[in-house]
Amino acid sequence: MQFPQNLKEKLDIRKTQNAFRSLSRSNKLIDFASNDYLGFSSSQAIFNATHHYLITHNTIHNGATGSRLLTGNHNLYYETEHFIAIFHQSETALIYNSGYDANIGFFSSVPQKNDFILFDELSHASIRDGILMSNAKSYRFQHNDFEDLERLIQFCKKNKTSETTNIYVVTESVFSMDGDTPNLAKLVTICEKNHCFLVVDEAHALGVFGNSGEGLVQDLNLQDKIFARLITFGKSLGCHGAAILGSQDLKDYLVNFSRSFIYSTGLSPHSVATIFTAYQYLEKNTGEVQQLKSNINIFNQQKTILSLKPLFVRSKSAIQSAIIPGNEKVKSIAKIIQENGFDVKAILSPTVPKGQERLRFCLHSYNSEKEIIGVLNLLNKLKM
């Protein structure tokens, strides 16, 4: 079968730039790579609770059978969305099949033709792809630079074409590649002053911040000041799916106009039951959250002891990134670390900008202090 020559050339360029991606098999290395921050993906307690819930509620179905607007809106959705909304102190929650689907569905439908979207330049690909599908005008502001954001807000105000024009400001509470966080309290003040709608992606904050892992927004008690929050279940909850938190009007709007919600087969009852039981476990068992916070502190302390702090992006989250420019160099260091038993991934350009290639360490509640010290001691020997 012939393959288009222009596509083959693009693959060849990736290979020559040491940027070619391929799927790897799972391994038995010490995990410093996955987003399973609390170890929920392999929790036998959550697995058993999910099975018990399905059996006792006589829910023995392998699939949803259709979109939620047709036949796929099984009763589990109501109970789970209600629980999520209460847990996150939100009026409503609307479950999507994935975080990507949620961001695509939100940004392609909510901002309108005369509106503006101002987004942090390091926003996740799913946010950017959703924005590309929107009819609104969009501008990116420099990473966590609120002076640049305010400049753009004033520009948008001067160029309004309608009295109904809205400005949406978009950020993440924990950025997926850097692991750093914006000053959300200051950002809320800016948005309130300028009558902007603030949207926060909390994918990497759920399970990490807050006494029960509620996320950074609730940890700062800002939940009533955010227009929309996105949370995903494939990180700390160890399962699959996502939800958008907001008002009843927002939920009603998304059900009517969000195409990735309307035209997708719903999650299976088993998937939704896993989300429900994982949230129940998170609420009742805070030990994993506290252990994760302790491990983050140990990692940061060890960076200081080994004089590695200048190598890392400043972060108090579970994502710790050591900048090692050059695809070839960072790949070679990652390979040596993996050969020594630690699963640490190299993040290459073009996933991150050229010159910002990095080793991305993901911390977990189940990493031991010995493992954390061991992997950083190894990095210290290899960094030059």
Side-chain angles (χ1 to χ4, degrees):
M1 181 71 70
Q2 271 194 323
F3 190 71
Q5 182 60 32
N6 58 341
L7 303 186
K8 180 68 166 59
E9 289 172 358
K10 293 183 74 173
L11 284 175
D12 291 339
I13 291 171
R14 279 285 169 92
K15 291 175 182 177
T16 60
Q17 294 176 341
N18 266 311
F20 184 74
R21 299 183 178 105
S22 60
L23 298 175
S24 59
R25 294 180 181 273
S26 59
N27 57 58
K28 301 295 184 181
L29 303 179
I30 297 168
D31 185 7
F32 282 100
S34 80
N35 293 326
D36 186 24
Y37 303 129
L38 302 176
F40 280 16
S41 72
S42 56
S43 168
Q44 188 172 348
I46 293 173
F47 183 90
N48 290 339
T50 300
H51 181 74
H52 178 75
Y53 182 93
L54 291 168
I55 296 299
T56 55
H57 286 75
N58 196 30
T59 307
I60 305 173
H61 299 282
N62 293 321
T65 75
S67 74
R68 290 185 64 183
L69 287 169
L70 295 177
T71 60
N73 199 40
H74 42 83
N75 289 333
L76 257 170
Y77 270 115
Y78 294 104
E79 190 169 7
T80 304
E81 287 176 337
H82 180 67
F83 191 95
I84 291 171
I86 292 174
F87 182 87
H88 287 291
Q89 298 177 356
S90 172
E91 188 176 348
T92 66
L94 181 65
I95 291 176
Y96 281 75
N97 287 7
S98 71
Y100 195 94
D101 280 340
N103 273 329
I104 289 288
F106 179 91
F107 289 105
S108 64
S109 65
V110 174
Q112 301 296 293
K113 185 175 181 179
N114 293 320
D115 294 339
F116 295 96
I117 308 170
L118 306 179
F119 63 98
D120 190 291
E121 64 180 345
L122 296 189
S123 294
H124 191 267
S126 58
I127 295 173
R128 299 163 74 95
D129 288 355
I131 290 171
L132 285 174
M133 296 171 68
S134 171
N135 290 319
K137 293 180 180 178
S138 61
Y139 303 93
R140 61 184 180 184
F141 58 92
Q142 294 177 28
H143 181 49
N144 288 339
D145 186 336
F146 295 159
E147 289 184 5
D148 193 38
L149 171 61
E150 290 194 272
R151 175 185 66 81
L152 286 171
I153 290 173
Q154 296 310 313
F155 169 82
C156 294
K157 285 183 172 181
K158 290 177 182 177
N159 289 274
K160 288 174 61 173
T161 58
S162 168
E163 289 301 314
T164 61
T165 293
N166 297 308
I167 300 173
Y168 294 89
V169 175
V170 187
T171 192
E172 300 178 27
S173 54
V174 175
F175 284 87
S176 60
M177 285 296 117
D178 284 23
D180 60 344
T181 59
N183 184 337
L184 285 180
K186 183 176 181 180
L187 187 54
V188 163
T189 300
I190 291 171
C191 289
E192 288 184 333
K193 180 180 73 174
N194 291 285
H195 307 290
C196 300
F197 293 98
L198 180 56
V199 181
V200 181
D201 187 321
E202 288 243 87
H204 291 276
L206 175 63
V208 181
F209 291 92
N211 291 330
S212 297
E214 303 94 336
L216 187 58
V217 168
Q218 282 170 266
D219 195 33
L220 299 173
N221 198 30
L222 299 173
Q223 59 271 16
D224 294 331
K225 301 177 182 297
I226 311 296
F227 175 67
R229 283 178 279 166
L230 173 92
I231 52 171
T232 62
F233 313 136
K235 282 81 177 175
S236 286
L237 286 191
C239 46
H240 195 73
I244 292 177
L245 309 175
S247 67
Q248 184 62 52
D249 284 341
L250 176 60
K251 182 173 182 176
D252 290 342
Y253 183 87
L254 293 170
V255 169
N256 280 273
F257 294 100
S258 176
R259 293 170 69 86
S260 63
F261 176 86
I262 296 167
Y263 298 110
S264 290
T265 298
L267 291 171
S268 70
H270 190 279
S271 292
V272 182
T274 305
I275 296 166
F276 182 51
T277 54
Y279 257 108
Q280 288 181 311
Y281 191 87
L282 181 64
E283 183 182 52
K284 295 174 184 176
N285 301 275
T286 61
E288 285 90 346
V289 175
Q290 300 312 315
Q291 184 59 54
L292 174 61
K293 291 179 180 180
S294 175
N295 285 348
I296 293 169
N297 288 334
I298 291 169
F299 193 95
N300 280 320
Q301 289 165 4
Q302 194 65 19
K303 285 191 308 191
T304 300
I305 292 169
L306 296 173
S307 300
L308 287 172
K309 281 183 72 174
L311 199 64
F312 280 82
V313 178
R314 186 178 184 276
S315 168
K316 293 186 177 181
S317 75
I319 299 169
Q320 304 281 334
S321 291
I323 305 300
I324 300 176
N327 280 351
E328 186 173 351
K329 183 176 181 180
V330 74
K331 281 176 71 176
S332 67
I333 292 177
K335 185 173 183 291
I336 296 171
I337 293 176
Q338 290 161 15
E339 289 170 348
N340 279 269
F342 300 100
D343 193 11
V344 176
K345 302 298 188 191
I347 307 297
L348 311 176
S349 59
T351 300
V352 292
K354 192 173 180 60
Q356 290 292 306
E357 296 84 2
R358 64 199 57 197
L359 293 175
R360 183 173 180 261
F361 296 79
C362 291
L363 304 180
H364 312 91
S365 60
Y366 49 85
N367 289 133
S368 69
E369 183 173 353
K370 181 180 178 182
E371 291 168 350
I372 293 169
I373 292 173
V375 75
L376 285 176
N377 280 334
L378 181 57
L379 175 64
N380 193 41
K381 294 175 183 176
L382 297 172
K383 68 177 187 296
M384 298 306 291

